[in-house]
Each structure stands twice: as C-alpha cells, then as structure tokens.
Amino acid sequence: MEIPYKQNIHTDHVFNELFNSHWNGVYELCLRYCTNEFVAKDLTQNIFLSVWERKISFKDKKSAEQYLSKSAKYQVLNYLRDKKDAVELDEFTGNKNTTETYRYNPDSIYTCNELSRKISMQIETLPEPSKTIFKLSRYEALNYLQIAAQMGISVKTVEKHISKALRSLKSALLQ
C-alpha cells in the first residue's frame, strides 16, 4: 500500500504504514554499524519514536528514506560514542575502576608477583650481552641508539640482542 506522505503522518494508520515499510531498512542500517541485534532494534525504535514525538512529516518517499537513514547514522554514532565513554562495572565489586579492583585483588597480586618473578629469573638466564642490553632497554629506558653508543656496538647488534631476549622470554613464559 502506498503511504500518503503529504498527509499528517501522525494518524495511526499513516504512521503504521511508514513504520512497516521502512523499519527493516532502518534496522539493517543500524545493525550494519553497531553489529548488535538488540542495540540495532533499540536504535531503530528510538528513530521511529522520535518521528512520532516530533511530528515529522515527509513530502515523499525519498525524503522519508533520506531522513531515516541519516537518523540511523546519527543514532549509531551517538551510541558508539556513549559506549566508548561508559565504563563497565566490575561484576565482583561494583567498582567502575577495574584497575583498582585488580590492584587489591589477592589473586591478581599473586599472579602479578609470580609473573614478575618468572620474568626476572628468565632475564638472569640470558647470555651476557643480551642480558645487559635488555636491562638497559627495559629498566633504564634507553633507546637503541643510546645503548649502542654506551656499549660501543652497532644499532643492528642492539636490535638483534633485544629480539633474541624477547624470543627467549616469550618461549619461557609460554611453557
């Protein structure tokens, strides 16, 4: 059935026709950008609710499609912006700052200490030039050029020793 766009869209019949003929298209647009079915449905409902509440009228099908697709775009952008700004509550403590939650969690403290111990032990087992170069890089925050100048070796040699040390650490930690 053809929607009489020039008529008042706020009669139940006309709005239902608009809703039924355009809902799928608006939903698909929202779903394409937010990839969550439930969120896409909510955003689509919000768009049509806004059309109803603001008593928006369209002169033809094209203007309705343009308005609804722009509305979908802005609804999704707003959702993504708000989602990025929102911080999920930690399920155990209700704390918004999960870093603080994990900092004082005994399991996290133990795991972190154990990992630090393993890393330190593995660094100490590295052959001498690699161990010194790795410590200068990671603990003293020197860049490769500074390490090369301090030790009298080339930057490529520094890169080789850092790479070797990181491979050794990775393989030890994966065991």
Side-chain angles (χ1 to χ4, degrees):
M1 175 177 201
E2 185 66 27
I3 302 171
Y5 286 98
K6 293 183 182 181
Q7 288 184 6
N8 182 359
I9 203 150
H10 297 289
T11 62
D12 286 341
H13 171 70
V14 175
F15 182 79
N16 285 339
E17 287 297 320
L18 175 80
F19 180 85
N20 291 332
S21 64
H22 293 286
W23 191 90
N24 283 333
V26 174
Y27 169 73
E28 293 296 327
L29 271 173
C30 291
L31 183 60
R32 182 181 319 152
Y33 294 110
C34 74
T35 67
N36 181 320
E37 291 181 26
F38 298 111
V39 171
K41 286 178 182 177
D42 283 345
L43 296 176
T44 303
Q45 291 295 84
N46 290 343
I47 291 165
F48 283 102
L49 181 63
S50 174
V51 168
W52 179 262
E53 288 175 341
R54 294 172 54 201
K55 299 183 184 341
I56 297 172
S57 298
F58 306 106
K59 63 183 180 183
D60 56 19
K61 182 177 182 175
K62 184 177 180 182
S63 65
E65 288 172 348
Q66 287 173 338
Y67 175 85
L68 293 170
S69 66
K70 268 199 190 302
S71 293
K73 173 185 165 186
Y74 289 118
Q75 281 283 330
V76 170
L77 287 174
N78 288 339
Y79 164 76
L80 293 173
R81 181 199 62 216
D82 294 344
K83 179 181 168 189
K84 185 184 89 167
D85 294 340
V87 178
E88 294 293 323
L89 294 178
D90 182 78
E91 74 178 65
F92 296 114
T93 64
N95 189 350
K96 288 184 180 181
N97 188 344
T98 56
T99 303
E100 290 297 314
T101 301
Y102 290 121
R103 181 179 292 166
Y104 300 111
N105 180 335
D107 289 335
S108 296
I109 293 169
Y110 175 78
T111 303
C112 188
N113 288 341
E114 193 63 28
L115 184 60
S116 293
R117 187 184 62 74
K118 281 184 179 180
I119 291 171
S120 295
M121 285 175 46
Q122 187 59 34
I123 290 170
E124 292 305 316
T125 65
L126 292 171
E128 188 40 53
S130 295
K131 177 168 62 173
T132 303
I133 291 169
F134 187 81
K135 285 181 175 182
L136 289 172
S137 171
R138 298 306 194 253
Y139 297 145
E140 296 184 28
L142 298 179
N143 64 34
Y144 291 1
L145 189 60
Q146 293 169 327
I147 295 169
Q150 183 175 333
M151 296 191 70
I153 57 177
S154 74
V155 174
K156 285 288 186 191
T157 304
V158 172
E159 290 175 4
K160 183 184 105 188
H161 284 289
I162 294 290
S163 181
K164 183 178 171 183
L166 289 172
R167 272 195 309 275
S168 174
L169 283 171
K170 182 179 177 182
S171 67
L173 294 175
L174 290 176
Q175 293 178 359

